[in-house]
């Protein structure tokens, strides 16, 4: 059975339809994308112990019970700020594990990496369920945070190299389709988790542990199906009837050679693209974390037709504007996922460098406009600006794998992408710290809540300016960094050339893929995604209504 995971077993024979690979990637990304939606569990978990003892409110910890004590306590409920560390762990482990094991993925193949990701992500959720049951937060940190975070990293980068090789004619679109799934995972997982928690909730249980178990089992089925759906093309495969256009072969920014991942830390272009991604993500991720309170504090009572500041609202009014802000967050999610496909596909026409220039110039102008639209009370301009900004935040993630393939070649792009995701781990700390601490600092100066985000927007403009400069400095990679023909042959010859040899000798059979199979594969991921978009759109209507 384990031989089915070998890379040589994943080489596609003649007749295989490449359009089966994107839904396989989506099956994995839609599952691990639930990392974005884990906050749906924080409120129930923050009162889980109190409810288990027949109450309705949380059992608060004593003032001297800090973070480390909460890891092991069984006598009081966890604080939401403590639970939020799991969210941080997700993205720190995603970036570090992708960097650490990206090279192994290229040698082992996407199927083996996908299977390991499934066991880590789903096994971590099951271990977390036990942690919820025993009220041991260290088990949740180890389960979902560490083990699950490793699954996130491997699952995230598992299809990148494969899709780029299957779609040399549409690199941006191909990676955009897969990474779109990571942005859409929370759209499916969050409402599904809410439904399951409501179903499993009892007078003595918030239903989180049972929800973890059910979701882990469901995700495992989908992720294993996606992993076994991965196929890689034979060496030097090209789409039928496609040849690189003349302007591409003459484009110095798109190489036909490949760089070994072991050398990438020393290449200036890698660090420039690292900064490009870090600055783009830092600006966007900071806003995502504060989108709901930002809208409420800036527009306050005007969201419900009352001309009152945030501090003048009563509890009922605060609840009402919180519902409107939830719609704002949902709308941003729709633009986040849509931007991943739109901008990555557009980059096939514009070029990656020009696409990032648009991100930084347009994004900087939009951030700069936020204080003015807020001061004018123009809700539509404020919301519209953030929707476009979040589309470019998602688009940055989806475009960067194709950018790397253009610069460093396709042979080890998955491993190089893994190294680059350390920029995401850095941004996951930098962005929220800048936004949150600047807000607290502005409040400490006595500024009205409607104005505490103004300076933050200008700081984010500065981040985008740094990213723009770094992007403009990107040049073609020097010849000395590329592998020689002999080194490239050595990299290819392990499992890949064994399989290619088998295909040449006729040992691998012709693979005819029916149109019905392709439609079924897309339906398997498209129907849940459409349901998630529908649920999110209903939430967004609260803002529009």
């Amino acid at each position: 059975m384990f031989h089915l995971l070998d890379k040589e077993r994943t080489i596609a024979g003649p007749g295989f339809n490449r359009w089966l690979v994107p839904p396989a990637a989506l099956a994995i990304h839609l599952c691990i994308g639930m990392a974005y939606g884990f906050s749906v569990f924080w409120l129930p978990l923050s009162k889980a112990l109190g409810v288990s003892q027949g109450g309705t409110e949380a059992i608060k910890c004593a003032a001297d019970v800090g973070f480390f004590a909460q890891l092991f306590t069984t006598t009081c409920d966890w604080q939401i700020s403590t639970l939020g560390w799991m969210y941080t762990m997700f993205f720190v482990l995603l970036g570090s594990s992708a960097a650490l094991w990206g090279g192994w993925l290229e040698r082992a193949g996407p199927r083996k990496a996908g299977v390991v990701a499934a066991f880590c992500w789903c096994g971590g959720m099951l271990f977390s369920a036990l942690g919820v049951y025993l009220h041991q937060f260290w088990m949740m940190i180890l389960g979902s945070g560490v083990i699950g975070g490793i699954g996130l990293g491997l699952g995230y980068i598992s299809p990148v190299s494969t899709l780029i090789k299957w779609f040399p004619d549409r690199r941006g679109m191909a990676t955009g389709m897969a990474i779109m799934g990571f942005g859409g995972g929370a759209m499916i997982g969050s409402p599904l988790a809410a439904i399951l928690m409501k179903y499993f909730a009892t007078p003595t249980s918030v239903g989180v542990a049972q929800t973890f178990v059910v979701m882990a089992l469901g995700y495992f089925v989908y992720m294993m199906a996606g992993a076994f759906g991965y196929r890689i093309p034979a060496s030097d495969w090209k789409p039928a009837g496609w040849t690189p256009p003349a302007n591409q072969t003459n484009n110095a920014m798109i190489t036909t050679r490949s760089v070994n991942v072991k050398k990438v830390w020393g290449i200036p272009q890698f660090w420039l693209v690292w900064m490009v991604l870090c600055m783009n993500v830092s600006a966007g991720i900071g806003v995502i974390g504060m989108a709901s309170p930002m809208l409420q504090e800036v527009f306050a009572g005007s969201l419900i037709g009352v001309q009152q500041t945030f501090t003048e609202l009563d509890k009922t009014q605060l609840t009402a504007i919180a519902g409107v802000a939830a719609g704002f967050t949902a709308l941003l999610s729709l633009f986040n996922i849509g931007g991943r496909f739109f901008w990555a596909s557009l980059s096939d026409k514009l070029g990656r460098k020009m696409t990032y220039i648009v991100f930084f110039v347009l994004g900087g102008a939009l951030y700069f406009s936020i204080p003015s639209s807020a001061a004018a009370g123009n809700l539509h301009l404020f919301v519209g600006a953030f929707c476009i900004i979040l589309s470019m935040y998602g688009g940055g993630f989806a475009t960067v794998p194709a950018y790397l393939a253009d610069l460093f070649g396709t042979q080890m792009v998955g491993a190089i992408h893994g190294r680059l995701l350390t920029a995401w781990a850095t941004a996951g700390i930098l962005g929220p710290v800048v936004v949150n601490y600047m807000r607290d600092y502005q409040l400490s100066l006595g500024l009205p809540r409607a104005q505490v985000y103004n300076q933050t927007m200008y700081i984010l403009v500065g981040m985008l300016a740094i990213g723009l400069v770094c992007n403009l400095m990107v040049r073609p990679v020097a010849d000395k960094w590329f592998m020689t023909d002999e080194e490239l042959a050595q990299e290819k010859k392990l499992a890949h050339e064994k399989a290619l040899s088998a295909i040449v000798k006729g040992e691998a059979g012709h693979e005819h893929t029916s149109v019905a199979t392709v439609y079924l594969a897309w339906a398997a991921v498209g129907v849940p995604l459409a349901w998630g978009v529908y649920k999110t759109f209903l939430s967004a209507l609260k803002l529009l209504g």
Side-chain angles (χ1 to χ4, degrees):
M1 176 181 176
F2 290 108
H3 291 305
L4 293 175
L5 304 181
D6 291 342
K7 189 174 181 180
E8 59 264 30
R9 295 296 186 97
T10 65
I11 303 291
F16 179 80
N17 191 321
R18 62 176 176 165
W19 288 98
L20 280 175
V21 181
L26 276 167
I28 290 181
H29 271 234
L30 287 172
C31 295
I32 62 176
M34 179 54 189
Y36 270 135
F38 251 66
S39 59
V40 74
F41 299 118
W42 297 165
L43 188 58
L45 285 172
S46 69
K47 57 182 180 180
L49 191 62
V51 171
S52 70
Q53 297 182 10
T56 58
E57 298 296 330
I59 300 175
K60 294 186 177 180
C61 294
D64 60 346
V65 179
F67 172 79
F68 289 103
Q70 289 185 56
L71 291 174
F72 305 98
T73 183
T74 59
T75 58
C76 61
D77 275 305
W78 306 307
Q79 298 174 1
I80 289 180
S81 58
T82 301
L83 292 165
W85 275 99
M86 189 184 298
Y87 186 79
T88 301
M89 291 291 291
F90 279 151
F91 299 109
V92 171
L93 264 295
L94 187 156
S96 56
S97 62
L100 187 60
W101 289 298
W104 168 82
L105 184 152
E106 291 290 355
R107 295 188 300 272
R111 179 178 294 176
K112 188 173 290 185
V115 168
V116 173
F119 275 97
C120 288
W121 178 243
C122 302
M125 287 190 73
L126 290 175
F127 195 68
S128 292
L130 182 60
V132 173
Y133 179 75
L134 298 176
H135 200 74
Q136 291 289 299
F137 188 57
W138 70 267
M139 296 179 70
M140 296 180 63
I141 287 287
L142 177 60
S144 288
V146 177
I147 300 173
I150 293 171
L152 279 176
L154 289 175
Y156 189 87
I157 63 174
S158 63
V160 170
S161 178
T162 303
L163 283 168
I164 285 174
K165 289 170 184 173
W166 274 117
F167 291 88
D169 49 337
R170 304 176 187 178
R171 289 177 179 176
M173 182 209 69
T175 55
M177 280 190 291
I179 293 175
M180 175 183 72
F182 192 82
M187 289 188 182
I188 301 171
S190 293
L192 177 61
I195 293 170
L196 290 173
M197 285 189 291
K198 183 177 180 181
Y199 177 80
F200 288 117
T202 68
T204 58
S205 172
V206 293
V208 174
Q210 300 93 321
T211 298
F212 273 6
V213 172
V214 171
M215 294 185 74
L217 296 176
Y219 283 158
F220 186 75
V221 172
Y222 255 78
M223 292 181 74
M224 290 296 284
F228 278 90
Y230 279 152
R231 307 300 296 276
I232 58 178
S235 181
D236 300 323
W237 175 90
K238 293 179 181 179
W242 178 81
T243 54
N247 62 345
Q248 178 171 310
T249 55
N250 294 329
N251 188 341
M253 291 295 293
I254 302 179
T255 184
T256 56
R257 303 169 65 189
S258 290
V259 171
N260 193 308
V261 68
K262 296 176 182 178
K263 296 182 179 180
V264 79
W265 294 121
I267 302 177
Q269 286 88 339
F270 173 82
W271 291 108
L272 289 172
V273 178
W274 192 97
M275 284 296 296
V276 164
L277 182 65
C278 186
M279 292 299 100
N280 188 59
V281 174
S282 293
I285 204 168
V287 168
I288 286 176
M290 293 298 289
S292 177
M294 188 188 305
L295 187 79
Q296 294 177 64
E297 291 178 332
V298 170
F299 289 93
S302 63
L303 294 173
I304 53 174
V306 178
Q307 297 306 312
Q308 291 177 305
T309 64
F310 184 82
T311 55
E312 295 171 344
L313 299 174
D314 59 33
K315 187 174 182 179
T316 302
Q317 292 170 325
L318 288 172
T319 302
I321 68 169
V324 176
F328 178 52
T329 304
L331 191 63
L332 293 182
S333 297
L334 289 173
F335 276 84
N336 181 6
I337 183 175
R340 291 169 186 248
F341 181 74
F342 172 78
W343 289 109
S345 299
L346 187 62
S347 76
D348 288 331
K349 302 293 185 183
L350 294 181
R352 323 307 167 191
K353 188 173 182 177
M354 179 56 68
T355 301
Y356 274 98
I357 290 174
V358 173
F359 290 167
F360 293 128
V361 173
L362 178 58
L366 291 172
Y367 275 119
F368 194 83
S369 74
I370 296 298
S372 299
S373 58
N378 195 321
L379 179 64
H380 293 96
L381 284 179
F382 183 92
V383 171
F386 275 117
C387 285
I388 297 173
I389 285 169
L390 262 294
S391 78
M392 294 187 292
Y393 164 79
F397 279 121
T399 303
V400 81
Y403 204 171
L404 295 176
D406 290 351
L407 288 170
F408 304 108
T410 61
Q411 180 62 29
M412 305 194 79
V413 67
I416 295 172
H417 185 226
R419 300 285 197 278
L420 192 80
L421 290 183
T422 54
W424 187 1
T426 304
I429 298 172
L430 178 62
V433 164
V434 168
V435 174
N436 296 344
Y437 280 91
M438 275 300 299
R439 173 184 178 275
D440 292 344
Y441 174 69
Q442 297 291 316
L443 285 173
S444 71
L445 296 179
L447 288 177
R449 286 178 179 264
Q451 298 176 23
V452 297
Y453 298 100
N454 291 357
Q455 291 300 320
T456 303
M457 294 301 111
Y458 298 137
I459 292 174
L460 298 183
V461 171
M463 286 184 172
L464 294 183
I466 294 171
L468 175 62
V469 172
C470 291
N471 186 54
L472 291 174
M473 291 173 65
V474 174
R475 296 289 186 271
V477 177
D479 288 342
K480 66 179 181 178
W481 298 111
F482 289 103
M483 289 185 280
T484 64
D485 292 340
E486 292 76 15
E487 290 172 331
L488 183 59
Q490 182 65 25
E491 286 295 330
K492 288 183 175 182
K493 82 173 187 179
L494 297 175
H496 200 94
E497 292 211 340
K498 291 180 186 176
L500 179 59
S501 176
I503 292 171
V504 171
K505 293 176 182 178
E507 297 170 10
H510 187 88
E511 297 186 72
H512 175 70
T513 306
S514 68
V515 175
T517 302
V518 176
Y519 279 123
L520 286 173
W522 277 99
V525 294
V527 171
L529 183 58
W531 178 80
V533 170
Y534 169 72
K535 298 292 288 187
T536 305
F537 180 73
L538 291 181
S539 297
L541 286 178
K542 296 178 182 178
L543 175 66
L544 302 176

